[in-house]
């Protein structure tokens, strides 16, 4: 399984802090956001390598990080060529760029580089071994206004995804979807042709939304909390540790 890290965003809501520095490399306590994520995943026997997709503006900074990263698995940095928030190519296109660069067919753990979890992703990877289908992550969210700002799924009694909606005005369930996914190698053909068949490409959730109507997907319930470092206020709240 390849760990694909999506880190090509410009974090404009956190300017000026992130105007010339990537948000995933900001410190939270004694580690960066990215190091917390990668050091967890690097321990898994299932993971063969890490592939981080970033933009041209921050590629050199991530290459410097790579040289110091405390990982046992190889790390590849891919530059998607974008230089500003206005010409970014989108998360799904970044994933497709990684696949075209790697030319390998393995299951993919796809993670957003700017989130912090207070639990390990090991259970997510083990759930893939059980289900052998593409997976999304989900968590219970009771507030309607929060559900209206994220992906929402309906599940059957076996956690099979029946329906996924992006930012619904009237959510059909309380299951919210954070930006963590596992894509089965059995879905590669669908993934490789997704853009030309109408898949949105800006947000990482666009691909899961596209696939759930065309393949079997299951959902794994988060066993803990996720912290989305989305703006300066949130960063100031947690920068000394979570």
């Amino acid at each position: 399984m390849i760990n694909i890290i999506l880190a090509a965003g410009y974090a404009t809501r956190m300017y000026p802090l992130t105007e010339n520095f990537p948000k995933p490399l900001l410190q939270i306590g004694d580690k960066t956001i990215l190091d917390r994520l990668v050091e967890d995943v690097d321990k898994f026997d299932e993971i063969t390598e890490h592939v981080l997709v970033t933009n041209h503006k921050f590629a050199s900074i991530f290459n410097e990080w790579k040289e110091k990263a405390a990982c046992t698995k190889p790390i590849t940095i891919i530059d998607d060529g974008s230089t500003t928030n206005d010409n970014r190519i989108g998360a799904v296109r970044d994933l497709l760029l990684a696949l075209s660069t790697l030319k390998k067919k393995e299951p993919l753990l796809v993670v957003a580089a700017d989130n912090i979890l207070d639990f390990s992703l090991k259970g997510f990877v083990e759930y893939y071994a059980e289900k052998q289908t593409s997976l999304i992550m989900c968590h219970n969210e009771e507030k309607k206004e929060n559900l209206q700002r994220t992906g929402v799924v309906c599940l059957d009694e076996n956690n099979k995804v029946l329906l996924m909606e992006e930012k619904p005005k009237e959510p059909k369930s309380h299951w919210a979807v954070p930006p963590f996914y596992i894509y089965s190698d059995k879905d590669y053909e669908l993934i490789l042709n997704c853009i030309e068949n109408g898949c949105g490409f800006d947000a990482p959730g666009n691909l899961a939304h596209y696939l759930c109507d065309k393949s079997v997907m299951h959902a794994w319930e988060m066993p803990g909390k996720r912290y989305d470092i989305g703006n300066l206020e949130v960063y100031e709240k947690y920068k000394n540790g979570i």
Side-chain angles (χ1 to χ4, degrees), residues 14-169:
M14 295 184 69
Y15 280 12
L17 187 63
T18 55
E19 191 166 3
N20 294 298
F21 192 78
K23 179 168 64 168
L25 294 182
L26 294 176
Q27 292 280 137
I28 298 288
D30 60 350
K31 291 184 179 180
T32 70
I33 300 170
L34 180 59
D35 282 315
R36 288 170 177 266
L37 177 67
V38 173
E39 288 177 18
D40 174 47
V41 174
D42 191 64
K43 301 171 187 174
F44 308 163
D45 291 339
E46 296 90 343
I47 297 297
T48 57
E49 62 183 303
H50 308 284
V51 178
L52 185 146
V53 188
T54 185
N55 54 59
H56 186 67
K57 184 176 182 178
F58 295 144
S60 62
I61 300 175
F62 280 113
N63 274 303
E64 290 176 10
W65 164 82
K66 170 186 169 180
E67 297 306 314
K68 302 174 184 177
C71 293
T72 60
K73 312 292 173 61
I75 302 173
T76 299
I77 307 296
I78 297 176
D79 179 349
D80 76 359
S82 74
T83 54
T84 71
N85 192 59
D86 293 330
N87 65 18
R88 68 191 187 278
I89 69 172
V92 176
R93 284 177 171 159
D94 281 328
L95 174 57
L96 293 175
L97 176 61
L99 293 183
S100 66
T101 302
L102 291 169
K103 295 183 172 61
K104 297 178 181 178
K105 191 175 182 181
E106 294 182 32
L108 308 171
L109 172 64
V110 179
V111 300
D114 57 356
N115 283 240
I116 292 177
L117 305 174
D118 69 357
F119 58 91
S120 174
L121 286 168
K122 181 63 173 174
F124 194 36
V125 173
E126 290 174 344
Y127 194 62
Y128 173 76
E130 174 188 339
K131 292 297 187 181
Q132 291 295 305
T133 69
S134 291
L135 301 179
I136 60 171
M137 200 180 287
C138 67
H139 64 89
N140 182 56
E141 176 55 68
E142 295 297 342
K143 293 183 178 179
K144 182 177 179 180
E145 60 268 29
N146 291 342
L147 291 167
Q148 290 172 328
R149 296 195 294 264
T150 188
V152 177
V153 289
C154 295
L155 310 174
D156 71 8
E157 64 277 7
N158 296 312
N159 284 348
K160 179 182 175 182
V161 177
L162 302 176
L163 173 71
M164 182 171 177
E165 297 178 297
E166 285 294 324
K167 300 179 180 179
K169 290 183 179 179

